Amino acid sequence: EEVPDGEEKGDSDIVKSLMDAIEDIEGLEGFGDEDDEDYDENEIADGSGLDALLDASSTDVLSGGAPPPPAVPQVDFPEKFQGMKLGEITRRLRIGDVYASHDAESRAALDAIGFDWGPPEKLIAAPFARVLCGLYAYKKIRGDLCVDLDFEVPAYDPWPSVLGGAALGQWVNELRGQKKLMEEEYPLKYMMLNQLQFLWLSKITK
């Protein structure tokens, strides 16, 4: 499709780098937060962390302490789920790092199985991973981050096709209203936005 006047068509390297970045993000790889809770994946995988907890609790009981937690039932997960970082996926769903809570259909599906969304005051109001890639593409193609409120990502080259139609202008507006949250709760994400020279303007309310 022909690119409208005033927009410079980028090269294939820009498109490829964006697509690779988005695939990594949507695949729940990378873009983790150093400030978020840490956990030992090895302990989770082999159960050693849980065993230590149960052993300590049993000792507490013998010494008159609190009773041990109930036994965790063993679940045989389908083979295709083996190795899935479910804890990391859940964390990112709760904070709004990926596109789920922002989509009515996806949110309804998770609500139907009783998904715990965590503290609502810590939810990023825009899917951060997609916003970051959208802003990167916008700056590469247009040269700035002056994103209009009604801007949607075009569905033609050199814009990343996976973001075609995304309401980037609305997402940017939502992030601007959460500057304090980003700065205090997600400093790494805040730093990444600042490195892109994100414009922290006042949020537009209707």
Side-chain angles (χ1 to χ4, degrees), residues 6-7 14 20 28-29 37 50 54 61 66 74 78 85 87 94 97 99 112 116 133 139 153 158 165 173 178 184 206:
E7 293 189 6
I14 293 177
D20 290 345
L28 298 168
E29 299 174 2
E37 296 181 4
L50 178 60
L54 293 175
V61 171
Q74 295 296 318
K85 297 181 180 180
R94 284 174 175 159
D97 204 16
Y99 191 58
D116 179 5
C133 284
K139 189 168 186 179
V153 178
N173 190 50
Q178 292 189 310
E184 295 181 354
K206 294 183 178 179

Side-chain angles (χ1 to χ4, degrees), residues 129-206:
R130 293 194 178 196
V131 173
L132 195 66
C133 284
L135 289 173
Y136 179 77
Y138 192 99
K139 189 168 186 179
K140 280 285 186 179
I141 296 167
R142 292 196 168 180
D144 58 44
L145 289 182
C146 300
V147 186
D148 292 334
L149 180 62
D150 59 353
F151 177 81
E152 294 185 356
V153 178
Y156 51 75
D157 183 68
W159 298 91
S161 58
V162 72
L163 290 180
L168 185 61
Q170 294 285 350
W171 291 346
V172 166
N173 190 50
E174 291 296 334
L175 276 184
R176 286 171 174 164
Q178 292 189 310
K179 180 179 180 180
K180 184 177 180 180
L181 173 70
M182 300 302 295
E183 188 173 9
E184 295 181 354
E185 295 292 336
Y186 308 110
L188 181 58
K189 287 180 169 59
Y190 182 73
M191 180 189 70
M192 293 166 74
L193 289 171
N194 287 336
Q195 287 179 338
L196 276 175
Q197 297 181 322
F198 184 77
L199 300 177
W200 291 103
L201 305 177
S202 298
K203 179 181 177 180
I204 300 173
T205 57
K206 294 183 178 179

Side-chain angles (χ1 to χ4, degrees), residues 15-188:
V15 178
K16 185 178 184 304
S17 64
L18 284 169
M19 293 301 294
D20 290 345
I22 293 169
E23 286 176 2
D24 285 345
I25 291 168
E26 293 304 301
L28 298 168
E29 299 174 2
F31 285 93
D33 278 333
E34 295 177 355
D35 53 296
D36 293 322
E37 296 181 4
D38 296 325
Y39 58 87
D40 189 328
E41 292 181 5
N42 294 325
E43 288 189 358
I44 293 175
D46 61 20
S48 60
L50 178 60
D51 291 340
L53 175 62
L54 293 175
D55 290 343
S57 298
S58 299
T59 302
D60 288 340
V61 171
L62 293 175
S63 62
V72 178
Q74 295 296 318
V75 179
D76 293 326
F77 285 97
E79 184 177 351
K80 65 180 179 180
F81 294 129
Q82 297 296 325
M84 176 184 285
K85 297 181 180 180
L86 188 57
E88 174 69 0
I89 294 172
T90 300
R91 181 189 69 83
R92 298 188 67 188
L93 285 170
R94 284 174 175 159
I95 68 174
D97 204 16
V98 293
Y99 191 58
S101 60
H102 319 89
D103 176 65
E105 185 176 350
S106 299
R107 188 176 184 97
L110 288 166
D111 284 341
I113 62 172
F115 182 76
D116 179 5
W117 291 100
E121 64 274 11
K122 292 189 177 183
L123 175 67
I124 302 173
F128 185 81
R130 293 194 178 196
V131 173
L132 195 66
C133 284
L135 289 173
Y136 179 77
Y138 192 99
K139 189 168 186 179
K140 280 285 186 179
I141 296 167
R142 292 196 168 180
D144 58 44
L145 289 182
C146 300
V147 186
D148 292 334
L149 180 62
D150 59 353
F151 177 81
E152 294 185 356
V153 178
Y156 51 75
D157 183 68
W159 298 91
S161 58
V162 72
L163 290 180
L168 185 61
Q170 294 285 350
W171 291 346
V172 166
N173 190 50
E174 291 296 334
L175 276 184
R176 286 171 174 164
Q178 292 189 310
K179 180 179 180 180
K180 184 177 180 180
L181 173 70
M182 300 302 295
E183 188 173 9
E184 295 181 354
E185 295 292 336
Y186 308 110
L188 181 58

